[in-house]
């Protein structure tokens, strides 16, 4: 039995417009200049306090920004202009993996538990994931705690576990937990950075990711930057 753990933002769903807009609203509420889109997306994957700590420093209004962001996010997610669509092919990929009897699925994300539950309900994935780890359950990535707990929940060993993600934090977490690190090239961090953080492979498409799990990937090399 193989445990396949997925990140969410930038891996399963494209939430960049919502994240950037919510950060902008949070910064404006505190009279601060909003980060650039590149800066905003660079911290995707971290839990909110760690993300804002990187953006404003230890002396910034980290707690206040976190609370403002949560409020802004919950407002904007109701706006159809800020949808969080699945990346192409992800729905079909998860359907195929869920149908296999030699695979368990998991989630490890910087999202809050509420966001994870909403995602699962929205896409009809209830009961599909044997373990779901969120920002409410463990220290922020790249700490390995989420993956260690996921393996405990499922009885999986590091050699039978793989982490799928789009950020350096996902790759570093996988390395720290001793599990395989697979990057996706459609997310928010550059491909070169994923390799630098420990990715063993970076795939270009959901079809390539599926082929990786069936041993039919034609070109088991890196995606291009």
């Amino acid at each position: 039995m193989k445990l396949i753990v997925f990140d969410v933002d930038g891996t399963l769903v494209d939430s960049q417009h919502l994240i950037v807009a919510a950060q902008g609203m949070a910064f404006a509420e505190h009279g601060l200049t909003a980060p650039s889109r590149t800066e905003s997306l660079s911290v995707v994957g971290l839990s909110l306090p760690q993300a804002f700590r990187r953006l404003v420093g230890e002396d910034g209004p980290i707690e206040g920004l976190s609370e403002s962001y949560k409020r802004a996010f919950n407002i904007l997610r109701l706006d159809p202009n800020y949808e969080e669509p699945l990346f192409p092919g992800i729905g079909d990929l998860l359907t195929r993996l869920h149908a296999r009897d030699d695979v368990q699925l998991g989630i490890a994300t910087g999202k809050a538990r509420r966001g994870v539950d909403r995602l699962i309900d929205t896409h009809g994935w209830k009961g599909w994931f044997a373990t779901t780890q969120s920002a409410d359950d463990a220290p922020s990535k790249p700490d390995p705690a989420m993956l260690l707990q996921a393996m405990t929940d499922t009885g999986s060993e590091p050699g039978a576990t793989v982490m799928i993600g789009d950020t350096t934090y996902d790759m570093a977490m996988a390395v720290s937990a001793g599990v395989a690190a697979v990057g996706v090239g459609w997310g928010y961090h550059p491909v070169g950075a994923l390799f630098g953080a420990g990715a063993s492979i970076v795939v270009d498409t959901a079809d390539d990711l599926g082929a990786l799990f069936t041993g039919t990937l034609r070109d088991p090399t890196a995606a291009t930057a």
Side-chain angles (χ1 to χ4, degrees):
M1 180 72 73
K2 179 178 287 295
L3 173 61
I4 304 173
V5 183
F6 289 90
D7 169 56
V8 174
D9 294 310
T11 301
L12 298 181
V13 300
D14 189 1
S15 48
Q16 60 178 306
H17 303 304
L18 178 53
I19 290 170
V20 171
Q23 282 191 19
M25 289 176 64
F27 273 72
E29 187 174 317
H30 289 269
L32 299 172
T33 300
S36 68
R37 175 175 288 272
T38 298
E39 291 170 331
S40 290
L41 296 180
S42 74
V43 298
V44 173
L46 298 174
S47 60
L48 289 180
Q50 283 73 18
F52 285 118
R53 185 171 288 112
R54 292 205 178 202
L55 291 174
V56 300
E58 291 287 348
D59 296 328
I62 296 168
E63 184 175 347
L65 283 169
S66 298
E67 292 304 315
S68 296
Y69 177 88
K70 291 176 186 178
R71 288 194 296 272
F73 193 95
N74 285 328
I75 292 170
L76 292 174
R77 71 177 180 81
L78 301 177
D79 186 334
N81 291 317
Y82 294 101
E83 290 182 320
E84 297 179 275
L86 296 179
F87 283 102
I90 287 297
D92 289 341
L93 171 64
L94 290 180
T95 298
R96 293 196 304 271
L97 291 175
H98 170 61
R100 289 175 52 171
D101 59 9
D102 62 336
V103 165
Q104 296 184 94
L105 301 179
I107 283 176
T109 176
K111 277 185 177 296
R113 169 63 57 183
R114 180 179 178 183
V116 175
D117 292 342
R118 184 185 305 121
L119 173 77
I120 290 172
D121 289 342
T122 297
H123 295 287
W125 294 341
K126 188 173 182 179
W128 286 28
F129 297 93
T131 178
T132 56
Q133 305 300 317
S134 74
D136 296 329
D137 306 312
S140 177
K141 301 172 185 180
D143 188 289
M146 287 188 190
L147 284 177
L148 296 177
Q149 184 59 49
M151 288 187 284
T152 297
D153 288 350
T154 58
S156 183
E157 296 294 331
T161 302
V162 58
M163 177 68 205
I164 312 297
D166 72 301
T167 71
T168 56
Y169 315 122
D170 297 312
M171 302 300 98
M173 176 175 66
V175 171
S176 294
V179 310
V182 174
V184 300
W186 56 79
Y188 305 148
H189 284 194
V191 169
L194 299 182
F195 279 113
S200 57
I201 187 172
V202 180
V203 295
D204 285 312
T205 67
D207 285 343
D208 285 346
L209 188 55
L212 181 65
F213 295 131
T214 57
T216 58
L217 184 62
R218 292 185 179 182
D219 182 13
T221 58
T224 55

